[in-house]
Amino acid sequence: MKKFVALCVLLAMLCAWTSMAWAAAEYCIPDPRIYFGVEANESGVKTDEQWMTIKFETEEECNRAFREYAELLKEDRFGFRVITDDEDRVLLDCSGSIRKMADSKSKSDYVIKVINFSEFGAAIQINVSLDVALEDTGDRPETAYRTVAPKNSGSGSSGSSSENDCSWCGGSGNCRNCGGSGRVYNWLSGTREYVNQNCRDCSGTGRCFWCRGSGKG
């Protein structure tokens, strides 16, 4: 009986350790579109990364946004370490088994890159490994950024009380990530599996997180 109890305890400890290992293998950052309060002006997906560009009304506003977002990413809770941190570029890495990108300028591998193009169009470019999730972490700037909305968004700068359509969902009120279903297939870190889970962006509600389903910005 004692051996059975000891075996049960050992299995429980093993399961707990495995769960912690899985949790440690999952990385996320605040979704730039949510944090900056505007849909990306340009974006795309490459072999091992996704990238987007967020534009601002002024060079000063772009500089403020770049530094505040970069400082947020460097917080210990996200689990990244700084490779390069200079006036206009921040490269971050992590200890997890994540597909990395190469930076020819610094000859370093990284999983996140944030570049400030304030002098060349007042824009910030963010490159993120596909293994890093973009989530609404609840982080919001104290003062809304004065951003430039995409031409097809139908919305003005962030922080306004405009009755125009929400720039994130295009006026549909539905979550862009899951299309309103509340469910998505996510890649399970450390495996080759995709599992059907509640959408992280809307917490399974199917409603646009930005306008809370109203469709208005």
Side-chain angles (χ1 to χ4, degrees):
M1 184 63 180
K2 290 182 177 179
K3 290 184 178 180
F4 178 77
V5 173
L7 179 60
C8 290
V9 172
L10 181 61
L11 288 174
M13 292 176 63
L14 180 61
C15 290
W17 179 87
T18 303
S19 299
M20 292 175 63
W22 277 114
E26 296 179 357
Y27 288 86
C28 74
I29 63 171
D31 191 322
R33 297 159 296 191
I34 300 172
Y35 184 76
F36 293 122
V38 67
E39 180 61 278
N41 300 89
E42 296 178 303
S43 62
V45 177
K46 300 180 181 179
T47 304
D48 56 0
E49 67 181 277
Q50 54 187 317
W51 64 273
M52 64 184 69
T53 300
I54 308 291
K55 294 184 179 180
F56 299 84
E57 291 184 356
T58 64
E59 181 179 330
E60 292 75 16
E61 190 74 353
C62 184
N63 288 332
R64 179 176 76 91
F66 168 77
R67 182 47 52 190
E68 290 183 3
Y69 187 65
E71 291 299 321
L72 177 63
L73 296 184
K74 291 189 289 183
E75 292 185 5
D76 292 340
R77 59 191 169 113
F78 294 115
F80 298 101
R81 63 173 178 268
V82 178
I83 299 176
T84 301
D85 184 6
D86 55 35
E87 184 177 353
D88 296 316
R89 187 176 54 133
V90 173
L91 303 181
L92 301 174
D93 194 9
C94 66
S95 57
S97 56
I98 290 181
R99 287 173 290 180
K100 297 182 179 181
M101 302 162 277
D103 188 272
S104 57
K105 183 177 180 180
S106 64
K107 297 181 180 179
S108 298
D109 290 336
Y110 59 90
V111 298
I112 299 172
K113 176 168 69 173
V114 184
I115 301 180
N116 184 12
F117 291 111
S118 61
E119 297 180 1
F120 307 97
I124 293 175
Q125 182 172 310
I126 302 103
N127 298 63
V128 184
S129 168
L130 292 177
D131 294 343
V132 176
L134 305 181
E135 298 182 354
D136 181 2
T137 58
D139 294 284
R140 297 289 188 277
E142 292 185 6
T143 303
Y145 299 112
R146 298 193 304 274
T147 54
V148 177
K151 293 181 180 179
N152 61 352
S153 71
S155 176
S157 300
S158 62
S160 69
S161 57
S162 170
E163 286 299 315
N164 290 332
D165 288 345
C166 172
S167 62
W168 179 252
C169 67
S172 70
N174 293 328
C175 172
R176 284 180 59 96
N177 191 43
C178 67
S181 69
R183 303 286 286 179
V184 293
Y185 279 93
N186 285 323
W187 175 71
L188 190 59
S189 181
T191 74
R192 296 181 180 179
E193 296 182 62
Y194 280 82
V195 294
N196 192 10
Q197 299 176 332
N198 278 342
C199 175
R200 295 176 176 178
D201 285 1
C202 66
S203 300
T205 66
R207 297 191 299 270
C208 172
F209 66 88
W210 193 255
C211 67
R212 301 186 183 279
S214 71
K216 297 299 181 181

